[in-house]
Amino acid sequence: MIDVTAYLRRIGVRVDGPPSVESLHLLHRAHVQRVPYECLEIWLGRPTTVDPAESAARIIGGRGGYCYHLNGAFSLLLEALGYRVRRHVGGVQGKAEGPPNIDGGHLVLTVSGLPCPDNPGGEWLVDQGLGDAIHDPLPLVEGTYRQGPFTYGLRPSGVEPGGWRFDHDPRGGFLGMDFRIGPAEMSEFAVMHEFLSTSPESGFVRVATVQRRDASGVDAMRGLVLTRVGDREHTLVAQSERDYFEILADVFALHLSDVTPAERAKLWQRLWTAHERWSDFQ
């Protein structure tokens, strides 16, 4: 269903041999660092689906996506490499005033059959679609985990019997994520994907977001504002169309070779208008 060689070339990885804990970590880190979390297709007026093969082709072509795209495509890559992968229905708790939920707003992956001394059960939380969260897979074991400058938690879900809760670092862009342990089909995410990509209430529709996690922190572009959180902290604002697209290329390796000059100009105008509107309320 996918071109595995091209996909591995896209993330800059060569893997040999059967599935292993070490290779899973290598694949996860490379993917998170090289394939950005982004919703620019919405802002370009290009409808997408939750079809993992479509998402994988777009990633191979140099783009990214959000959870349905990133985790959907990554699940195909892992399956093709022999990993035992499951998809799960999850939900993100953005702020304290919003209760934990499992509303299908997040696609989660787990991988099983890879025990190690720190994870004898061999199950792993694998997630490319949390934007500013994990860099490496997490053992599906209750506890606290340190990755670079951030601390995460895993515990039983309070809203789903038998499910799990991921607690984000306090500096993260959301509070946490819950998911149910049963397997899910991609069709279960279609309705929420439609909402997230078209509704005026969707965060993706309101803010053009691009994020990239590396070993020491997170770069995030929200609208025209670039922030760095982690090993160092800084904020800057893109002041021109050229600035914006150079930031996408230099910081996120997002060259947008599939976007025409006319589409870039139109995108910039939308971003600048939204930024001015946002600035008026600050």
Side-chain angles (χ1 to χ4, degrees), residues 268-279:
W268 168 255
Q269 188 56 55
R270 288 192 66 192
L271 290 166
W272 184 254
T273 300
H275 180 76
E276 288 188 311
R277 189 181 305 121
W278 171 79
S279 298

Side-chain angles (χ1 to χ4, degrees), residues 118-142:
D118 293 333
N119 185 12
E123 290 190 274
W124 300 85
L125 172 63
V126 176
D127 207 317
Q128 299 290 328
L130 287 173
D132 65 350
I134 63 175
H135 185 245
D136 285 87
L138 290 178
L140 204 55
V141 177
E142 184 174 1

